[in-house]
Structures are given as structure tokens and as C-alpha cells.
Amino acid sequence: MASWPPGYSNRPPQGRPAWAPPLERVERMSFAGKVAVVTGAGSGIGQAVSQVLAGEGALVTGLDVSDERVKALAGPLEERGGRAFKVDVSDSFAVDQAFEEALKRCGRLDFLVNNAGFCHESALDEMSDDDWNHLIAVHLSGAFYCCRAAIPHLRKTRGSIVNMSSIYGMVGAPRYCHYSAAKAGLMGFTKALAKELLPDRVRVNALAPGSVMTPLQDHLDPKVLQAKMEAHPWGRYATPEEIAGYVLFLLSDKCDYLTGQVISPSGGQMFVGI
């Protein structure tokens, strides 16, 4: 039978244990003085991650391929000492330049969040070479280019990488073979890189979210989207801010013992494979 602290019987105390630290004394995740690069930072999950990290004190360099999104992102980040750049992560030269600029400004790098991506629906036998190659280049090659540029600096800070995969990389999805393949590849990439960087104490993890209410859902008819949400085991999609919370947790010192893992916040979607 479990032995409880003095003054307690051998049963779980009711409510919050008296010997537990007060909630206000529980250590918060602190990102003050840390430096992060976030790709796909102009919308959806990437935007939420960038803004929450900056709000917690990190200097954030946000990368996005859209002029309009970079312009909208620049203001909030620059107010907190960060920057936003237009970068196509499928262009290795552009990625290297962006990291050089970020390091020149900030002098260090603690975190990398590989979030850049897009998806479109297509039957495999109707998919062009360009459709396949472009999606793989952004999701998978983009993560490779960014990690390659970041690792020498992350070794110095014992930093952390989070790669944004998807539940589709685990269960697959019809008419999304290219997207499912890229996201599955990103999981394997994450596990291999985590092993490679173990001696350097650089942590590498991945998130594989289920359905999230991002602009990627904008192409759906509202009635179709509503039906999809009603069919979801949790009755709704996740918000970008919820997923950003998982990213911050994985980046934080609270996850110092976690590397090479794929975590799937999906509200039970994994169990039913939708």
C-alpha cells in the first residue's frame, strides 16, 4: 500500500494534496532570451506558434512564402524584437540566407519549428510530377534544409527542433497520397535525426495533429466542413492555438528528457482513422 506524507492516511487525499506546491509557484515555461525560427509562420499553426513564442519572451524569426502574410506577421514580431522574412523553404539557398540573417541579428539559435506546408486534393493517377515534387520539396526537403542550417547553432545551445507532421502520415488519406507520404517521411526523418543528435543533447520531436481549423480548410464547402466536424470523435477540430501549446511544451525545458517522439494531438481521430 502506498505510503503518504505524515498526517495522511494510506489513501489518496481529497482535492489538491497539501504537500503539493501552490499553483502560483509551479514553474512556467520560460522562453525569455531564447531565439526561435518558425517556418510557415504567416498563418494557421505557424502564426499561432510565432505569436505565442514571442509573447513568452522569445525572439522569433518567422519565415513564410507569402508577401502578404509576411507583411502582416512583421509588425507583431518586430514589436517584440523579432523579424519576418519571405522565404520559400524548398529553396536551399534562400533558407541558408535566412538563417545567416537571423544569426547575424540574434547571435544564437535555440529553437526550430518546421511548420511550412500546404496540401491539395488529387487522385494519384491524375497527379502531375510537379504536384508531387513541389509538395515533397516544401514539406520534406524544406525541413531538411532548415535543420541542416540550424544544427551547428543548436549544438551550441543544446536546442530543440519540432517538426510538424500530420495524422495523415500515420493513417493515410485517399486523394492525399503526396501529403501522407511527405508527413510519414517527416516522422522517419525526426526519429533518425534525434538519434544522430543524441550526443549533442539537441532534442528532435514531431507533432502529428489531427484536423485543425486553419486556412487549409477554407476550400471546403461550409456544409461539408460542418459534417466533418460532427463526424469527428471530439465533435470539433483543434484550434491553432491548442497545437501551438503542444509545440511550446516540446520546446521547453519541461521536455528535456523527450526526444525522437511523434505526438499526435487528435481528439481521438487516430482511433477511427478519419
Side-chain angles (χ1 to χ4, degrees), residues 177-229:
C177 286
H178 49 350
Y179 185 78
S180 299
K183 293 305 192 182
L186 199 52
M187 294 183 202
F189 175 81
T190 296
K191 294 175 182 179
L193 185 58
K195 289 183 178 180
E196 187 171 322
L197 296 179
L198 272 175
D200 304 299
R201 293 296 187 268
V202 174
R203 298 184 300 105
V204 189
N205 293 291
L207 277 179
S211 298
V212 184
M213 190 59 72
T214 70
L216 291 178
Q217 311 293 342
D218 289 349
H219 70 285
L220 292 175
D221 180 276
K223 292 182 179 179
V224 173
L225 179 59
Q226 182 62 32
K228 284 178 173 287
M229 287 193 288

